[in-house]
Amino acid sequence: MSASAPRKALNIDNINPHVKAAEYAVRGELAVRSEEYRAKLARGEGKDLPFDSVIAANIGNPQQLDQKPITFFRQVASLLENPLLLEHEDILIKSLGYKSDVIERARWLLKEVKSIGAYSQSQGAPGIRESVAKFIERRDGYSANVKDIYLSTGASSGVNTLLHIICAKPETGILVPIPQYPLYTASLSVLDARCVPYLLEESSGWGTDLQAIHDSYEKAISEGTDVKAIVVINPGNPTGSSLSLEDIKSVLKFAAEKGLVVLADEVYQTNVFIGEFISFKKALRDLQKESPGQYDHVELASLHSVSKGMVGECGHRGGYFELVGIDPKVAEQVYKFISIQLCPPVIGQCIVELMVNPPKEGEPSHELYKQEYDGIFGDLKKRAYALFDAFKQMEGVECQTPAGSMYLFPTITLPAKAIEQAKKEGRKPDEFYCSRLLDATGVCVVAGSGFGQKEGTLHFRTTFLAPGTEWTGRIVKFHKEFFEEFR
Amino acid sequence: MSASAPRKALNIDNINPHVKAAEYAVRGELAVRSEEYRAKLARGEGKDLPFDSVIAANIGNPQQLDQKPITFFRQVASLLENPLLLEHEDILIKSLGYKSDVIERARWLLKEVKSIGAYSQSQGAPGIRESVAKFIERRDGYSANVKDIYLSTGASSGVNTLLHIICAKPETGILVPIPQYPLYTASLSVLDARCVPYLLEESSGWGTDLQAIHDSYEKAISEGTDVKAIVVINPGNPTGSSLSLEDIKSVLKFAAEKGLVVLADEVYQTNVFIGEFISFKKALRDLQKESPGQYDHVELASLHSVSKGMVGECGHRGGYFELVGIDPKVAEQVYKFISIQLCPPVIGQCIVELMVNPPKEGEPSHELYKQEYDGIFGDLKKRAYALFDAFKQMEGVECQTPAGSMYLFPTITLPAKAIEQAKKEGRKPDEFYCSRLLDATGVCVVAGSGFGQKEGTLHFRTTFLAPGTEWTGRIVKFHKEFFEEFR
């Protein structure tokens, strides 16, 4: 062996090219730099920075931005972590503010999982899946079966599972909305399958455009792509949209006609500001009732999570998906696949249970729960509209009315000089804008190119989770100065 | 559209063939059947069953089998789940038995993660990774860097990450010990890469056999396999072995010579009954010190977990891996890959911190911690040897002396008639034996074929986690009757 070190066995030129090809901007370069700024400020070394705090508006992470957890959830969770506390009911109730339903729920969950330190069934604890099924029944007015519910490590791992099952070969294609949450394109890259993009219609609140879906599908088929599924994110990420029943039904009809599996990413189902949320499952059952026999073959997987909504328990990595109309032999393979990773975090499973089965009216914890839930909802809505109003006043910025999810996704029309400067620096124009925004204000957003956007358009995605309006002011001021600099 | 339902878009013949090809016996058919028995007994309907309880000896799941969690860990976790409890220090200490170090640790962890409901950095919270680095330094006597530590969702997700990075093409091969924990073969199937099996040496306590590794490597190379890495599981799963320093060094030398990444699965590092655990990291640093320049290029990833040891917190899905000597550009891709799934469960990360940084001597919680830890260790060792003694008395059963991990993996020599009967039923002989064992006793073990075994030999894997010895008696009785039936 020579004394000079040979090239590493693993190097950038010989590792998995499909991993290399994946892009995930939500936690990309800007996110990393914003963390460096945050650490610098925390060390008291940020005197040279033109801001005194970092605002992580790049990711839907409510509790990072001071959203308080729902008390009922966390009281139950504390008892699950330390069941010995249940030997002190009196103290819990009289001195620590725990209500009797907190204690009952903890006892019931412990009976179901035995210990949150034990692996559960790979599909999730049966009692918890039962609660999820009942929740879906109440939500949709149609039955749900515990055997079709799969608990997951956040919705992300559910998406990963479903795409692993579906993507059979490099020609397999999945219709993905553009703009999209980059989990989809990144996972398809890793799986060496094809993303078949279909454009959402910005001018109509980022709704689905059946003609666009149809054209993308036909184009893909003509190129030899075996299109197997269509992803819909409703309410929309990054778009902030909320789909109409008509849009949902037209996607289902298209899927029925072409034999596509529908992947309904419904993690923002309680973040709806305009109209009401309608699940793909309900819309499918409606169609099946209206046209007997016509839609029985439709295959649907719908995903939910504890990370979003008023729950905001991202760090607990809880979620589930429901399989509808899936061949039992395929479901067996889903089970086997998830079993390789043993089981989702059990305390996360318990948070799923609490989310789908919160205190009911008349129960001791209900009043506080409702007050907290409504408070968070109201705050989010208020901030969404405050940000929307700020965008309306900004030169070259247009934004659809906030309808759902945790994001706004405005169009930005940048001055030609800025686009030139971006080119000089080897950056996409929207990334250039977002990078400058971060350096000037400490506000971290994600460039539209990280989600995909119609050619020739530029956007960025921002959450409206950060409290107060001071940070909105920073954006407005930066934007004005940016335009002055590059006009 | 015709009224009769067309074949499903997803069916067993067109889904991902690599997922279909994966096998994961630990949670396979027998595990599913044992869960059905358990549910039946729970419903009070098991009168026809020849047993009154199910013993899940198929999986290392200590808290499912009544192992109590370590009090310190769970007290801290309860405060992380409900930080409002920290407003009642007096009650915690005077009435609920919490010590001051529990409260301090909870406050510190909350400062590090802000809220366990928030996503952390994808690599894990920096302060927790710092604790892991310090633990490795104490354990090995060599430095460790916080930037090389990656927290994970149990060790399984760490393995998944590393194999995703390494497996670049269908010709990529990974040397995997036989018998092995089937996570490796299952993941390689899913990734469409090649498992290059090397046999462990049963007669020398399941140690590594350098000649066997060498021969497997050469054979794979001659078949066009691009061998990139070698997996070692130490202490052994399913074998119950504990590798000698000599074995470890010879693997490292081989890896250095051939340019292989070493994947050291060290999740059972505290489950050692004979000798002491030596990490691959320490052995590598020793080699580097002994022969300057000769081993600087070696690439190593070592994995650990909160699921095993005396911690046994499987359900919390916490773990980490350390990268040693990995090209920084490759590490960047590791970071990007894990960022797609956002972050490991944050409470699981906190349990990792508690595992690597337990109460020190002189601290208030130390005495109870030590008592619980030593108690669990002693019980496990006692049960391992009790089971070993039972095996020694069973006809046709031979077992290596328990040295580490949570398993025994005895050889069984079955009567010819039993092998014939298995063939008639279309089963492998060891699966036939294990299936009969489950149906007769409620004890669920895993057939050796689920882990791989030398041709012509038969084994099964059992944990020794279940309390008491009554269940061992069930195995002994069944075995005797089985041999009488088929003699």
Side-chain angles (χ1 to χ4, degrees):
Chain A
M1 212 176 305
S2 89
S4 78
R7 191 157 191 213
K8 292 286 181 185
L10 281 189
N11 58 62
I12 195 67
D13 295 321
N14 71 5
I15 60 169
N16 187 338
H18 309 303
V19 169
K20 259 167 65 182
E23 289 184 17
Y24 190 73
V26 174
R27 295 214 152 188
E29 180 207 338
L30 290 198
V32 171
R33 201 194 316 156
S34 78
E35 282 301 325
E36 286 163 8
Y37 285 149
R38 184 196 300 278
K40 196 171 172 181
L41 288 166
R43 291 192 306 267
E45 293 167 13
K47 298 278 180 293
D48 58 324
L49 295 176
F51 47 84
D52 56 9
S53 68
V54 166
I55 306 288
N58 57 309
I59 188 163
N61 192 6
Q63 295 187 22
Q64 180 60 41
L65 293 164
D66 299 327
Q67 182 175 305
K68 294 277 162 288
I70 302 266
T71 302
F72 177 76
F73 298 172
R74 295 301 200 87
Q75 286 179 334
V76 173
S78 69
L79 300 178
L80 299 176
E81 285 290 357
N82 188 9
L84 296 177
L85 291 175
L86 289 166
E87 292 168 12
H88 304 274
E89 267 195 37
D90 247 38
I91 297 172
L92 290 172
I93 289 179
K94 289 187 191 146
S95 309
L96 298 172
Y98 284 51
K99 308 279 189 196
S100 59
D101 52 349
V102 170
I103 292 167
E104 279 160 32
R105 186 67 66 89
R107 286 194 196 282
W108 179 79
L109 281 166
L110 283 169
K111 193 169 69 60
E112 293 299 315
V113 303
K114 182 148 182 174
S115 162
I116 56 160
Y119 295 125
S120 71
Q121 288 183 20
S122 295
Q123 204 176 334
I128 295 176
R129 287 189 280 125
E130 188 69 53
S131 283
V132 172
K134 283 183 193 154
F135 157 75
I136 294 171
E137 288 178 2
R138 282 195 307 274
R139 185 193 67 190
D140 295 341
Y142 290 104
S143 70
N145 195 323
V146 62
K147 79 169 175 39
D148 299 325
I149 311 294
Y150 295 74
L151 300 183
S152 61
T153 308
S156 300
S157 88
V159 169
N160 183 58
T161 297
L162 295 165
L163 293 180
H164 261 89
I165 296 292
I166 299 172
C167 295
K169 50 183 195 277
E171 296 78 26
T172 301
I174 312 279
L175 281 155
V176 172
I178 295 298
Q180 52 107 31
Y181 176 52
L183 166 65
Y184 293 95
T185 41
S187 302
L188 289 171
S189 283
V190 170
L191 281 160
D192 190 23
R194 294 181 188 168
C195 171
V196 180
Y198 67 91
L199 285 174
L200 298 173
E201 207 171 2
E202 181 162 7
S203 61
S204 64
W206 296 108
T208 51
D209 171 354
L210 196 62
Q211 190 59 47
I213 295 174
H214 189 269
D215 293 350
S216 293
Y217 175 84
E218 292 299 337
K219 182 163 174 284
I221 294 287
S222 74
E223 290 165 355
T225 299
D226 183 14
V227 184
K228 295 299 293 178
I230 179 166
V231 172
V232 186
I233 309 174
N234 180 46
N237 178 4
T239 61
S241 66
S242 176
L243 288 187
S244 66
L245 178 59
E246 198 192 333
D247 277 358
I248 294 170
K249 282 193 172 173
S250 66
V251 169
L252 285 167
K253 286 177 182 177
F254 182 79
E257 188 190 323
K258 304 297 185 190
L260 301 178
V261 181
V262 178
L263 300 177
D265 179 337
E266 302 180 323
V267 300
Y268 297 98
Q269 58 188 263
T270 57
N271 298 102
V272 174
F273 305 131
I274 295 179
E276 56 162 354
F277 169 74
I278 300 151
S279 75
F280 270 77
K281 168 90 178 292
K282 174 177 167 26
L284 174 61
R285 293 294 188 234
D286 282 351
L287 280 176
Q288 288 170 338
K289 208 157 74 172
E290 289 157 24
S291 311
Q294 292 293 294
Y295 296 99
D296 292 355
H297 65 292
V298 173
E299 291 147 87
L300 165 69
S302 74
L303 299 119
H304 196 11
S305 157
V306 301
S307 300
K308 311 302 172 184
M310 276 35 79
V311 183
E313 293 283 359
C314 311
H316 273 106
R317 315 305 297 118
Y320 75 81
F321 58 89
E322 182 188 15
L323 296 184
V324 182
I326 299 291
D327 187 305
K329 282 197 163 27
V330 173
E332 267 175 35
Q333 296 294 317
V334 171
Y335 170 81
K336 184 185 67 187
F337 180 79
I338 58 175
S339 76
I340 299 170
Q341 292 286 320
L342 297 166
C343 74
V346 178
I347 189 85
Q349 296 183 35
C350 293
I351 303 282
V352 170
E353 204 283 331
L354 299 168
M355 171 179 78
V356 300
N357 186 20
K360 293 181 196 54
E361 215 170 318
E363 290 176 354
S365 294
H366 181 262
E367 192 182 327
L368 179 61
Y369 169 76
K370 189 166 164 24
Q371 181 191 320
E372 292 175 336
Y373 188 97
D374 292 348
I376 295 168
F377 184 87
D379 280 354
L380 286 176
K381 186 169 178 178
K382 203 162 66 188
R383 277 187 246 138
Y385 280 85
L387 191 58
F388 175 57
D389 287 341
F391 285 155
K392 278 201 282 198
Q393 290 159 25
M394 278 159 61
E395 185 183 351
V397 174
E398 268 181 89
C399 189
Q400 297 295 305
T401 309
S405 87
M406 295 179 164
Y407 312 102
L408 295 185
F409 194 64
T411 290
I412 42 174
T413 308
L414 295 183
K417 268 196 195 165
I419 293 173
E420 241 165 71
Q421 183 60 31
K423 206 176 276 174
K424 268 188 213 156
E425 297 184 14
R427 281 180 174 282
K428 294 175 187 158
D430 52 354
E431 286 176 2
F432 173 70
Y433 176 88
C434 295
S435 175
R436 293 282 295 252
L437 174 67
L438 172 61
D439 293 342
T441 66
V443 178
C444 187
V445 301
V446 186
S449 47
F451 306 93
Q453 52 199 348
K454 196 170 173 173
E455 226 186 294
T457 70
L458 300 171
H459 301 77
F460 64 86
R461 186 190 81 166
T462 176
T463 72
F464 39 78
L465 296 168
T469 53
E470 181 273 337
W471 64 282
T472 315
R474 293 192 216 172
I475 298 177
V476 173
K477 180 167 172 287
F478 159 79
H479 187 81
K480 197 157 167 272
E481 291 167 1
F482 183 91
F483 267 65
E484 276 159 16
E485 183 179 348
F486 292 104
R487 196 179 316 276
Chain B
M1 210 176 303
S2 91
S4 78
R7 192 159 190 211
K8 292 286 180 186
L10 282 189
N11 58 63
I12 196 66
D13 296 320
N14 71 6
I15 60 169
N16 188 337
H18 309 303
V19 169
K20 259 167 65 182
E23 289 184 16
Y24 190 70
V26 174
R27 295 216 150 187
E29 179 207 338
L30 289 198
V32 171
R33 201 192 319 157
S34 78
E35 282 300 327
E36 287 163 6
Y37 285 148
R38 186 195 299 280
K40 196 171 171 180
L41 289 166
R43 290 192 306 267
E45 293 168 12
K47 299 278 181 290
D48 57 324
L49 295 175
F51 47 84
D52 56 9
S53 68
V54 167
I55 306 288
N58 57 309
I59 188 162
N61 193 6
Q63 295 187 24
Q64 180 63 40
L65 293 164
D66 298 328
Q67 183 175 305
K68 294 274 162 291
I70 302 264
T71 302
F72 178 76
F73 298 172
R74 294 303 199 86
Q75 285 179 334
V76 174
S78 69
L79 301 177
L80 299 176
E81 285 289 357
N82 188 10
L84 296 177
L85 291 174
L86 289 165
E87 293 168 12
H88 305 274
E89 266 194 39
D90 248 38
I91 297 173
L92 289 172
I93 290 179
K94 288 186 191 148
S95 310
L96 298 172
Y98 285 51
K99 308 278 188 195
S100 60
D101 52 349
V102 170
I103 291 167
E104 280 160 31
R105 186 67 64 87
R107 285 193 196 283
W108 179 79
L109 280 166
L110 283 170
K111 192 168 70 57
E112 293 299 315
V113 303
K114 183 147 181 175
S115 163
I116 56 160
Y119 295 125
S120 71
Q121 287 182 22
S122 296
Q123 205 176 332
I128 295 176
R129 287 189 280 125
E130 187 70 53
S131 284
V132 172
K134 283 182 193 155
F135 157 76
I136 294 171
E137 288 177 3
R138 283 194 309 274
R139 185 193 65 189
D140 295 341
Y142 290 105
S143 71
N145 194 323
V146 62
K147 79 169 174 41
D148 299 325
I149 311 294
Y150 295 74
L151 300 183
S152 60
T153 308
S156 301
S157 89
V159 169
N160 182 57
T161 297
L162 296 164
L163 293 180
H164 260 90
I165 297 292
I166 299 171
C167 294
K169 50 183 195 276
E171 296 78 28
T172 301
I174 312 278
L175 280 155
V176 172
I178 295 296
Q180 51 107 32
Y181 176 52
L183 166 65
Y184 293 95
T185 41
S187 302
L188 288 171
S189 283
V190 170
L191 281 160
D192 189 23
R194 294 181 188 169
C195 171
V196 181
Y198 68 92
L199 285 174
L200 299 173
E201 207 172 2
E202 179 161 8
S203 61
S204 66
W206 295 108
T208 51
D209 170 354
L210 196 62
Q211 191 59 47
I213 294 174
H214 189 270
D215 293 350
S216 293
Y217 174 84
E218 292 299 338
K219 180 164 176 284
I221 294 286
S222 75
E223 292 165 354
T225 300
D226 182 14
V227 184
K228 295 299 291 178
I230 179 166
V231 172
V232 187
I233 308 173
N234 179 46
N237 177 4
T239 62
S241 67
S242 176
L243 289 186
S244 67
L245 178 59
E246 201 193 332
D247 276 358
I248 294 170
K249 282 192 172 173
S250 66
V251 169
L252 285 166
K253 285 177 182 175
F254 183 80
E257 188 191 323
K258 304 298 185 189
L260 302 178
V261 181
V262 179
L263 301 178
D265 180 335
E266 302 180 323
V267 301
Y268 297 98
Q269 59 188 263
T270 57
N271 298 100
V272 175
F273 306 130
I274 296 179
E276 56 161 352
F277 170 75
I278 301 151
S279 75
F280 270 79
K281 168 89 178 291
K282 176 177 168 24
L284 174 61
R285 293 294 189 234
D286 282 352
L287 280 176
Q288 288 170 338
K289 208 157 76 174
E290 289 158 26
S291 313
Q294 292 293 296
Y295 296 100
D296 293 355
H297 65 292
V298 174
E299 292 147 85
L300 166 68
S302 75
L303 300 119
H304 195 11
S305 157
V306 301
S307 300
K308 311 302 172 186
M310 274 36 79
V311 183
E313 294 282 0
C314 311
H316 273 105
R317 315 304 298 118
Y320 76 80
F321 57 90
E322 182 188 16
L323 296 183
V324 181
I326 299 290
D327 187 305
K329 282 198 166 23
V330 173
E332 269 175 33
Q333 296 294 319
V334 172
Y335 170 81
K336 184 185 68 186
F337 180 79
I338 57 176
S339 76
I340 299 171
Q341 292 286 320
L342 298 165
C343 73
V346 177
I347 189 84
Q349 296 183 35
C350 294
I351 303 281
V352 170
E353 204 283 330
L354 298 168
M355 171 180 77
V356 300
N357 186 21
K360 293 181 195 55
E361 213 170 319
E363 291 176 353
S365 295
H366 180 262
E367 193 182 326
L368 178 61
Y369 169 76
K370 191 167 162 20
Q371 181 191 319
E372 291 175 335
Y373 188 96
D374 292 348
I376 295 169
F377 183 86
D379 279 354
L380 286 176
K381 187 169 176 176
K382 204 163 63 187
R383 277 187 247 139
Y385 280 85
L387 191 57
F388 176 57
D389 288 339
F391 286 155
K392 279 200 283 200
Q393 290 159 25
M394 278 158 61
E395 184 183 352
V397 173
E398 268 181 89
C399 189
Q400 297 296 305
T401 310
S405 86
M406 295 180 166
Y407 312 102
L408 295 185
F409 195 64
T411 290
I412 42 173
T413 309
L414 295 183
K417 267 196 196 164
I419 293 173
E420 237 165 73
Q421 182 60 30
K423 205 177 277 175
K424 267 188 214 158
E425 298 185 13
R427 283 179 172 281
K428 294 175 187 158
D430 51 355
E431 287 175 2
F432 173 70
Y433 176 88
C434 296
S435 175
R436 293 281 296 250
L437 174 66
L438 172 61
D439 293 341
T441 66
V443 178
C444 186
V445 301
V446 187
S449 47
F451 306 94
Q453 52 199 349
K454 197 171 172 173
E455 227 185 294
T457 69
L458 301 172
H459 300 78
F460 64 86
R461 185 189 83 166
T462 175
T463 72
F464 39 79
L465 297 168
T469 53
E470 182 272 336
W471 64 282
T472 316
R474 293 191 216 173
I475 299 177
V476 173
K477 180 166 172 287
F478 159 79
H479 187 81
K480 197 157 168 273
E481 290 168 0
F482 183 91
F483 267 66
E484 276 159 17
E485 182 179 350
F486 291 105
R487 197 181 313 279

